[in-house]
Amino acid sequence: MTSPPIRVLSVASEAVPWVKTGGLADVAGALPAALAPHGVAATTLIPGYRDVLARLGKRPRTAHKWADLFGGPARLLARDAMLVLDAPHLFDRPGRPYGDDAGHDWPDNWRRFAAFARAAADVAGGAAKGLRFDLLHAHDWQAGLAPAYLRFAPVAGSKPVPAVMTIHNMAFQGYFPAEVFPQLGLPRQAWAMDGVEYHGGVGLLKAGLESAQAITTVSPTYAREIRQPEFGMGLDGLIRARGPAVHGIVNGIDGTEWNPETDPAIAACYTAATLHDRAANRAALAAEFGLEPGDGPLFIVVSRLTWQKGMDVLLEALDHLVWLGGRLALLGSGDAALEAGLHAAAARHPGRIGVRIGYDEALSHRMQAGGDAILVPSRFEPCGLTQLYGLRYGCVPVVARTGGLADTVIDANVAALAIGAATGVQFDGVHPAALKAALDRTLALWRCPEDWQALQRAGMAQDFSWARSGAAYAALYRQLVA
Ligand code: ADP
């Protein structure tokens, strides 16, 4: 007899296709389907932002009501395997999930996401009639208090529900002043070193990391890196102390949405056996970015424009990239100074560097399909998705050797090339000289079409589907529930 599925409440502040600002949304959106084949029934809970509610469509079922959730009434809306927390006083506002359109965080983010986490703990604890869960899986600081509520203030009479806390990026920790603590609805004993207190304030991610039965992050290398001060950003001691409870599970990608064989967004579909068909995508991409024809590689970048992503270092290497005969198509948005620097580089190198500021999903597909190589010079990268899309699309990743980039790209060293295992180029240390040297190595490979195509084919043959990661999460849940 097969055992009944493990029922997991996955709690995330964003999930594809409903709301996305980064990789977290891809992961949260993909998890339920990835887990289903492994005996896990996952339901995702997200906040009812204005856009999400508008797109919910036909009247969803109300599964639970709160008369007063942190200052106003709230409802739990259910649609298929998705739950939405409709709390207008917290989430029904214009702008982005975490702030206004001018880029300022909402000042009441602590209240918004404490309420979200409280609701999640209530639902996981069985407060909503007809909804039962065996485990709560919290993602990032926005859901960080949920394991703390389960630990310090569970639903009265409920059986204990274990929690998993996943770190998608240690740089975002949800730190707030101590004054908010009395308003969180937690008992006094939660104000402790092994509770929510963090450097004299309240740490939302920290609370989750202390309270969850298991911690995961999105690659084995990042799981090791965050044990060190440089990557742990204040929480490295906690991560070291939790030792064997910390796991690294690489993200998968959605192989249906990201498939060059069937991608409706690209000019010409292709496979590893028909790589020559990429030429049409390459020409279309060059035209779209106003780049002149050339023999050198067409590099792409699809990224948030931030210090983490090494975009300042990229700027320093752009003259060298052009000097080598390369061209660059860049899509991204973020820091104003970096945007200005990129525009200046494009003005310096018309026809060689094309910059598009903004967020454009379809364009990102056309870039992966038409680019020869994707640059990812991140200072730290918990997992990274764009290099995985690059691998699948035959757009060779050139990456910093850190976090998930180190785990998913096989450097084209002599040994790896000899056995046909290499899939890209890795470099150590994110500074201009290292990136320039990586560009030199990339050009050497590019000049040998056989080597280059071997890189492309080996990359396209990698399996970064969710199958493996889904199995790893399911195995972890099973341990905790048993
Ligand atoms: P992070 O979550 O740190 O931003 P990831 O590489 O994990 O980095 O995920 C970024 C996701 O966002 C990828 O799916 C990538 O394709 C997408 N993305 C980033 N910037 C843009 C953009 N300007 N336009 C379209 N997609 C973007």
Side-chain angles (χ1 to χ4, degrees):
M1 213 181 80
T2 54
S3 46
I6 299 176
R7 297 160 301 183
V8 172
L9 182 65
S10 175
V11 185
S13 57
E14 44 186 284
V16 161
W18 299 98
V19 49
K20 168 168 169 171
T21 71
L24 161 64
D26 291 309
V27 179
L31 261 182
L35 292 165
H38 303 285
V40 176
T43 302
T44 309
L45 171 66
I46 61 172
Y49 306 113
R50 183 174 288 181
D51 288 352
V52 169
L53 290 181
R55 290 172 53 209
L56 261 186
K58 63 174 175 26
R59 289 170 58 127
R61 185 169 71 83
T62 298
H64 188 65
K65 285 184 180 174
W66 290 263
D68 180 1
L69 183 69
F70 285 74
R75 295 184 304 163
L76 183 71
L77 304 177
R79 201 183 118 170
D80 307 323
M82 202 186 52
L83 297 171
V84 175
L85 179 64
D86 178 19
H89 61 297
L90 302 170
F91 299 117
D92 182 14
R93 43 183 92 166
R96 301 163 304 114
Y98 315 123
D100 62 21
D101 281 324
H104 306 294
D105 284 353
W106 298 118
D108 59 347
N109 270 346
W110 66 270
R111 187 195 307 275
R112 299 171 78 223
F113 292 104
F116 179 56
R118 178 67 263 179
D122 287 352
V123 174
K129 237 174 107 199
L131 292 175
R132 289 291 168 271
F133 294 96
D134 304 305
L135 184 140
L136 182 148
H137 185 165
H139 300 270
D140 276 352
W141 69 265
Q142 295 89 343
L145 279 178
Y149 284 121
L150 287 176
R151 174 179 165 204
F152 292 108
V155 175
S158 63
K159 70 173 175 39
V161 180
V164 173
M165 181 79 231
T166 293
I167 306 160
H168 294 268
N169 192 336
M170 199 61 129
F172 305 112
Q173 300 188 351
Y175 181 71
F176 299 97
E179 292 76 69
V180 311
F181 178 75
Q183 301 176 65
L184 296 178
L186 282 164
R188 282 185 68 91
Q189 77 261 28
W191 182 259
M193 270 257 285
D194 75 341
V196 306
E197 188 275 328
Y198 184 43
H199 294 306
V202 168
L204 267 49
L205 177 63
K206 192 255 184 181
L209 296 174
E210 289 284 8
S211 302
Q213 279 63 32
I215 296 169
T216 74
T217 187
V218 287
S219 70
T221 295
Y222 194 60
R224 280 195 305 278
E225 286 172 342
I226 55 176
R227 298 167 62 84
Q228 303 156 23
E230 186 190 348
F231 295 94
M233 304 187 166
L235 291 169
D236 43 293
L238 187 168
I239 295 293
R240 285 195 300 278
R242 298 247 22 210
V246 183
H247 308 261
I249 302 176
V250 171
N251 289 334
I253 59 174
D254 182 335
T256 314
E257 201 200 328
W258 291 93
N259 182 358
E261 222 175 317
T262 54
D263 193 333
I266 65 182
C269 290
Y270 59 94
T271 67
T274 59
L275 274 176
H276 47 270
D277 289 342
R278 288 184 102 251
N281 298 319
R282 189 171 188 268
L285 180 61
E288 187 166 1
F289 275 83
L291 302 175
E292 46 192 47
D295 307 332
L298 173 47
F299 291 96
I300 65 161
V301 170
V302 179
S303 183
R304 290 187 286 120
L305 303 178
T306 64
W307 181 87
Q308 177 200 335
K309 300 291 181 179
M311 289 295 116
D312 51 323
V313 174
L314 175 79
L315 273 180
E316 303 268 325
L318 285 183
D319 291 345
H320 188 69
L321 182 151
V322 170
W323 180 79
L324 287 171
R327 291 169 294 161
L328 174 72
L330 179 143
L331 168 65
S333 62
D335 296 353
L338 291 170
E339 291 183 6
L342 287 163
H343 281 310
R348 230 170 31 245
H349 299 292
R352 307 300 296 277
I353 294 180
V355 170
R356 199 59 71 75
I357 300 299
Y359 191 94
D360 188 335
E361 193 85 26
L363 176 57
S364 74
H365 284 242
R366 297 198 290 280
M367 294 172 74
Q368 298 280 9
D372 297 310
I374 178 163
L375 297 174
V376 194
S378 304
R379 286 192 167 83
F380 61 94
E381 194 59 79
C383 178
L385 293 171
T386 60
Q387 87 281 10
L388 299 181
Y389 302 144
L391 289 169
R392 185 137 167 88
Y393 277 64
C395 183
V396 174
V398 177
V399 304
R401 197 191 313 272
T402 187
L405 302 173
D407 288 331
T408 57
V409 175
I410 302 173
D411 180 59
N413 61 42
V414 178
L417 274 177
I419 60 168
T423 61
V425 172
Q426 293 192 343
F427 61 94
D428 285 303
V430 178
H431 46 80
L435 178 54
K436 287 178 197 172
L439 292 173
D440 293 342
R441 285 184 63 209
T442 306
L443 257 290
L445 292 159
W446 171 258
R447 290 200 192 95
C448 176
E450 242 170 61
D451 280 351
W452 191 262
Q453 283 170 22
L455 287 179
Q456 289 179 296
R457 293 214 172 87
M460 292 178 82
Q462 301 276 309
D463 178 9
F464 285 107
S465 69
W466 271 101
R468 196 168 33 173
S469 322
Y473 280 113
L476 177 64
Y477 298 156
R478 203 154 278 123
Q479 271 176 30
L480 297 175
V481 169

